Amino acid sequence: MTMAQPIRKKEDLQELKNYYQTIHPNMRNYLLIHLGVNTALRISDLLSLTWNDVYDFKKKSFRSHITLIERKTKKQNKLPLSPSVKQALMEYKNSFHRVNPAHYLFYGKFPHAPLSRCQAYRILKNASLALQLETPISCHSLRKTFGYYAWQAGVPSVMLMNIYNHSNFQITKRYLGIEQDEKDNVFLNLDL
């Protein structure tokens, strides 16, 4: 079994998002990918989000942050919603006649039951196969992709460790596949 990898090529990431936005339009699936790579949430936490978690029904506006108790760690996590995520949420919300605060953002047949992990995996796998992406991806790839690009952008290792709740950066590097990238760069850049 292959370990989930981050989506390392920006063009692959863009193609994956575009697949459900333009090629095979499905706003729920597009939002799943977009929110997944922009929040670094585990798939279990992502699938448990309700409209009330992202939208303030009294103020009639999207919240500035998602605040949740992570299922795995039982720790509270507060994540900002970027402008592009809010835009995707708005487009998704506009595709409904009316949304209920208690309904799940990502649901299958019924809005009162979340999409299953298996179905979320199939959504990613189908797009990956249709696009013929080289990297094997899974639901965890969304979370890893966030960290990979954050690291590439120069986010301090301590911050990445904090985001992922890792005890040291070696674990985070292994988690994101950075160790192999660094090794590859040594061999590829050292031309003797």
Side-chain angles (χ1 to χ4, degrees):
M1 183 163 83
T2 59
M3 187 170 142
Q5 294 294 313
I7 303 163
R8 288 179 171 82
K9 295 180 183 174
K10 282 209 176 198
E11 27 322 327
D12 287 351
L13 178 57
Q14 197 56 49
E15 282 185 32
L16 186 64
K17 289 194 306 185
N18 285 345
Y19 183 76
Y20 287 116
Q21 190 174 32
T22 56
I23 299 168
H24 189 68
N26 185 314
M27 280 307 296
R28 178 200 66 189
N29 297 352
Y30 168 75
L31 182 64
L32 179 71
I33 294 166
H34 196 67
L35 198 58
V37 297
N38 280 287
T39 62
L41 287 172
R42 288 179 185 85
I43 195 67
S44 57
D45 294 324
L46 200 58
L47 296 176
S48 71
L49 292 174
T50 64
W51 278 104
N52 196 49
D53 293 322
V54 297
Y55 191 77
D56 187 328
F57 285 84
K58 288 180 184 171
K59 294 180 181 177
K60 296 186 186 318
S61 65
F62 285 98
R63 298 184 186 283
S64 62
H65 290 76
I66 295 173
T67 304
L68 73 148
I69 304 296
E70 292 181 344
R71 287 180 173 220
K72 182 176 180 179
T73 64
K74 306 295 184 231
K75 294 179 181 176
Q76 183 173 338
N77 198 350
K78 186 175 181 177
L79 307 162
L81 292 175
S82 72
S84 71
V85 167
K86 286 182 182 181
Q87 179 63 39
L89 282 164
M90 179 62 78
E91 290 174 29
Y92 185 49
K93 183 177 177 293
N94 289 341
S95 70
F96 294 96
H97 174 67
R98 193 172 140 245
V99 294
N100 182 316
H103 286 175
Y104 289 94
L105 277 179
F106 308 109
Y107 64 88
K109 292 181 181 179
F110 307 105
H112 57 275
L115 194 65
S116 71
R117 286 179 73 108
C118 290
Q119 186 59 26
Y121 172 75
R122 277 192 291 269
I123 289 166
L124 291 169
K125 193 68 174 173
N126 288 342
S128 174
L129 289 172
L131 297 167
Q132 300 176 336
L133 300 181
E134 294 174 25
T135 305
I137 64 168
S138 70
C139 295
H140 215 55
S141 295
L142 301 178
R143 179 172 162 84
K144 289 183 173 194
T145 298
F146 170 89
Y148 182 80
Y149 284 101
W151 174 74
Q152 293 265 331
V155 171
S157 56
V158 172
M159 181 56 67
L160 286 171
M161 287 169 43
N162 183 278
I163 288 169
Y164 289 121
N165 288 319
H166 291 159
S167 57
N168 67 58
F169 191 57
Q170 288 305 108
I171 294 169
T172 304
K173 284 170 60 171
R174 210 170 33 253
Y175 182 80
L176 300 176
I178 293 169
E179 278 186 338
Q180 187 62 50
D181 286 355
E182 288 178 337
K183 272 193 223 175
D184 290 353
N185 283 336
V186 168
F187 286 95
L188 295 172
N189 292 325
L190 190 64
D191 191 14
L192 301 174

